[in-house]
Amino acid sequence: MAALLRAVRAGRALRGLGSSKYGPPPAAASFDLVAAPAAKPECVSVKRGFRCAALMLQDESKSNKHVGQDPTAGTTQGESTSNTHADESTRANSSFQDESEEQGEEYETEEQLQGRILAAALEFVPQHGWTAEAIAAGAETLGLSSASAGMFNNGAGDLVLHFVAQCNSQLADILAEQHKQVQLGQAEPKKTADFLRDAVETRLRMHVPYIETWPQAMSILLLPHNIPEALKHLSTLVDDIWYYAGDRSTDMNWYRKRAALTGIYNTTELVMLQDSSPDFQDTWIFLDNRIQDAVNMATSAKQLQSTGEAVVQGLMGAALTLKNLSGMNQRR
Amino acid sequence: MQRSAYVALHEWSQKAFPVIVRQRAKSRGSPWSSRCYSVVPPALDSEEKEMLDRILRVDHAGEYGASRIYAGQMAVLGRSSTGPLIQEMWDQEKKHLEKFNEILAESRVRPTALLPLWNVAGYLLGASTALLGKEGAMACTVAVEESISEHYNSQIRALMEKDPERYTELLKVIKEFRDDEMDHHDTGLEHDAESVSNNNFMPQYSVQYTFFPPDLGTWILAT
């Protein structure tokens, strides 16, 4: 156990990941404190070993905090050496710092680490496709072993879902920013159709760097075990767009609008896959037409309803007139 | 000077927006409400968000159903002597519904998908009990309001158990509405609802069983 820990730390020192954070004396002292709680179970496999290492690191950082004012010293040390190492190391330091502030959130650390690996893996997607190889390549750029791709049980599915979630939150940020601009009076509010078109276009443009491999990504999302989460992301996306478009309905229209936009988004995405026009002009024209269709349908439905009401009124009036004419309304 | 005012406003709105960065991975990226003041506090995590969502969705569905019940009653008894009374109670329900519409919209809560069902069912219930006469309509009102009050009470209890400080505003709203519903209940009792229980046919119990058991009903309403 102790030997494993030392080996991991030595490995980390070589890779420059957070090594500078632990000056010799405090670390040695805290190590004994860590040894007791760190009876992390049999770290046999590499995957679990890696996870254990991450947990050890976090435990150490926590106990470092307890032992002395090390974090501040550690951080400055970390920052000074960050110039020589990749930015990821300082981010790792500060992220581990932040995580050590919370109580026992090992899950957070792993999630963040997974997020970083997947973000790095996106670079290799054009080359390897949406596969575990891309994840492995991404892990290697972070200085981790390529075997850490085994951390992702869902493999390529994790990568695609992470990308989709990232795009959705980027779009939400953009829409929130625009919303703020409008509220501050610095921008004109757009008409609903224009807003929807711009939002969907912005979102679909995020696929452009990966458009060659996007059919593969879509098919991965259609795998049965990925469908629930993919649908969740899609519904979040559509709800965000409608919310910022100003929809505040609380009846069946809530469902109708989202269903319509989901249809528009999905069909436009499919069209984009086969579009070879410059800058996807055909796709945006298609999108425009579909939105116009939806708007027209809504207008027609409204007109139909008001016409129907008028017709009913007319019929009632006619019936009353007949009753009067035939004398049925008279009281004798 | 205008520019600095804009900047100040921007910074103020930045601070005031309840954006919680750390939880972005777990929850949606956008702030829960676009206004700084809202009845419902911004949820800290997805679990709380879900709990609040269910509460608000059920309440909204309940008020919507109640509104439709009164509409049904008015359709039958609107021109009788009890018309104004039912109209008054209906107006209060409409106000409740409006308030919940507001809350749902600003907290981005999904309305229940069964709204069309409650639309029809509520109207039919109101109309059919009104066909039994004024007593029938009042019995229906008593039963419905009793169930709703019970329901609001259990929600108040749940929220108080969790964190009364946090949900002060929401509790205020729910308490106010519960008091209104109790008023309707008492009004129904005043206006000869009890006389129906002497008959063999007991519409108020059939209405109560429609809403019973509360958990199942809540589950259905929250869909």
Side-chain angles (χ1 to χ4, degrees):
Chain A
M1 200 54 176
L4 169 66
L5 228 100
R6 284 207 191 91
V8 166
R9 288 234 322 270
R12 288 206 169 283
L14 285 175
R15 290 183 193 130
L17 252 186
S19 57
S20 52
K21 185 175 151 77
Y22 310 105
S30 66
F31 176 68
D32 297 322
L33 292 169
V34 168
K40 299 287 188 268
E42 323 63 52
C43 296
V44 237
S45 70
V46 177
K47 168 170 100 173
R48 265 140 120 229
F50 187 76
R51 225 178 264 172
C52 291
L55 297 178
M56 305 294 185
L57 217 58
Q58 202 206 346
D59 279 344
E60 282 199 62
S61 73
K62 266 195 228 169
S63 50
N64 269 347
K65 209 170 96 131
H66 294 315
V67 166
Q69 300 309 313
D70 282 322
T72 41
T75 324
T76 45
Q77 273 187 313
E79 268 160 48
S80 67
T81 50
S82 72
N83 298 325
T84 49
H85 302 299
D87 278 353
E88 279 98 286
S89 51
T90 20
R91 249 185 280 140
N93 286 346
S94 41
S95 74
F96 286 138
Q97 279 291 334
D98 290 342
E99 288 322 310
S100 68
E101 306 291 329
E102 289 173 330
Q103 288 308 307
E105 302 271 353
E106 294 119 11
Y107 187 61
E108 280 308 282
T109 310
E110 189 175 315
E111 226 178 56
Q112 285 198 339
L113 181 65
Q114 287 186 341
R116 281 197 302 128
I117 296 180
L118 292 177
L122 285 175
E123 271 180 55
F124 297 92
V125 163
Q127 188 186 349
H128 295 289
W130 300 89
T131 55
E133 279 92 44
I135 304 181
E140 273 174 2
T141 51
L142 291 183
L144 306 167
S145 148
S146 62
S148 45
M151 212 192 336
F152 300 98
N153 291 327
N154 203 3
D158 276 336
L159 184 57
V160 179
L161 288 168
H162 171 264
F163 175 67
V164 168
Q166 182 186 302
C167 289
N168 287 352
S169 67
Q170 264 177 23
L171 180 72
D173 288 340
I174 294 174
L175 292 180
E177 187 56 44
Q178 285 178 3
H179 185 66
K180 228 184 278 187
Q181 292 291 318
V182 169
Q183 283 193 320
L184 290 176
Q186 289 172 359
E188 287 299 315
K190 292 190 218 171
K191 284 174 56 181
T192 310
D194 294 335
F195 184 91
L196 294 178
R197 194 198 52 229
D198 289 342
V200 175
E201 188 182 326
T202 311
R203 176 63 179 82
L204 285 176
R205 277 193 187 276
M206 295 181 194
H207 292 169
V208 166
Y210 309 97
I211 197 68
E212 303 294 320
T213 48
W214 195 247
Q216 184 193 13
M218 286 183 77
S219 62
I220 291 174
L221 285 178
L222 283 173
L223 290 173
H225 54 265
N226 288 331
I227 287 183
E229 211 174 315
L231 283 180
K232 206 160 51 113
H233 287 311
L234 181 59
S235 63
T236 313
L237 169 71
V238 168
D239 187 39
D240 278 345
I241 296 181
W242 265 120
Y243 176 75
Y244 286 112
D247 174 46
R248 297 287 181 274
S249 52
T250 50
D251 53 6
M252 283 320 278
N253 280 326
W254 192 96
Y255 290 92
R256 285 190 204 114
K257 286 180 172 176
R258 277 148 187 79
L261 187 58
T262 308
I264 293 174
Y265 177 81
N266 282 338
T267 47
T268 313
E269 198 182 2
L270 286 171
V271 163
M272 195 170 162
L273 291 180
Q274 305 193 327
D275 190 5
S276 50
S277 61
D279 195 36
F280 303 95
Q281 284 304 319
D282 288 348
T283 308
W284 312 133
I285 294 174
F286 176 88
L287 173 63
D288 221 2
N289 290 339
R290 294 293 78 70
I291 292 186
Q292 277 310 311
D293 286 346
V295 167
N296 289 343
M297 200 144 50
T299 323
S300 312
K302 252 186 247 167
Q303 281 177 345
L304 189 66
Q305 193 185 19
S306 56
T307 309
E309 276 168 12
V311 165
V312 165
Q313 294 276 6
L315 285 175
M316 301 275 276
L320 188 62
T321 311
L322 277 176
K323 271 174 79 175
N324 286 336
L325 285 176
S326 66
M328 278 167 59
N329 262 2
Q330 285 177 342
R331 260 190 299 176
R332 290 183 197 280
Chain B
M1 192 181 99
Q2 235 182 0
R3 203 185 154 70
S4 61
Y6 272 140
V7 166
L9 180 63
H10 186 70
E11 279 171 23
W12 170 78
S13 60
Q14 284 271 25
K15 291 200 198 101
F17 278 133
V19 175
I20 296 164
V21 179
R22 199 178 300 286
Q23 299 301 331
R24 246 170 210 220
K26 286 190 199 156
S27 58
R28 292 193 232 149
S30 44
W32 296 123
S33 71
S34 59
R35 284 196 260 157
C36 313
Y37 167 75
S38 67
V39 170
V40 182
L44 286 177
D45 55 27
S46 58
E47 205 181 288
E48 187 190 353
K49 171 88 178 135
E50 229 179 270
M51 176 200 78
L52 287 173
D53 272 12
R54 298 193 111 235
I55 289 180
L56 293 171
R57 195 174 304 135
V58 168
D59 288 347
H60 176 254
E63 294 298 343
Y64 183 78
S67 193
R68 292 307 293 157
I69 291 176
Y70 283 121
Q73 289 185 344
M74 274 304 283
V76 175
L77 290 172
R79 270 163 279 195
S80 73
S81 54
T82 28
L85 179 64
I86 301 179
Q87 181 67 45
E88 190 191 318
M89 294 198 284
W90 189 16
D91 288 337
Q92 281 190 317
E93 297 295 348
K94 283 193 221 174
K95 271 211 325 245
H96 290 184
L97 183 60
E98 227 178 86
K99 181 70 182 165
F100 274 120
N101 278 340
E102 249 181 63
I103 297 179
L104 251 68
E106 75 187 14
S107 309
R108 298 182 63 173
V109 178
R110 169 178 69 86
T112 169
L114 298 175
L115 278 177
L117 174 64
W118 304 132
N119 187 357
V120 173
Y123 194 83
L124 283 179
L125 179 65
S128 55
T129 49
L131 284 171
L132 296 168
K134 171 189 165 200
E135 290 82 9
M138 289 301 138
C140 170
T141 303
V142 165
V144 167
E145 299 296 0
E146 202 173 304
S147 306
I148 292 186
S149 304
E150 219 176 278
H151 181 75
Y152 275 145
N153 278 334
S154 63
Q155 281 187 351
I156 292 173
R157 267 194 295 273
L159 288 175
M160 295 282 268
E161 262 173 34
K162 281 225 181 279
D163 191 347
E165 294 284 313
R166 203 167 143 66
Y167 302 118
T168 333
E169 286 297 329
L170 182 59
L171 277 170
K172 206 163 70 165
V173 170
I174 297 184
K175 280 182 191 162
E176 188 190 321
F177 289 2
R178 187 231 18 220
D179 293 339
D180 286 342
E181 308 294 357
M182 289 307 298
D183 279 340
H184 294 177
H185 174 261
D186 296 338
T187 310
L189 282 177
E190 268 175 58
H191 287 83
D192 310 330
E194 298 288 18
S195 64
V196 196
S197 62
N198 296 329
N199 302 342
N200 282 334
F201 189 83
M202 300 195 195
Q204 75 267 34
Y205 288 116
S206 65
V207 168
Q208 268 186 337
Y209 283 126
T210 311
F211 287 80
F212 180 83
D215 285 339
L216 178 62
T218 311
W219 180 81
I220 294 176
L221 280 173
T223 305

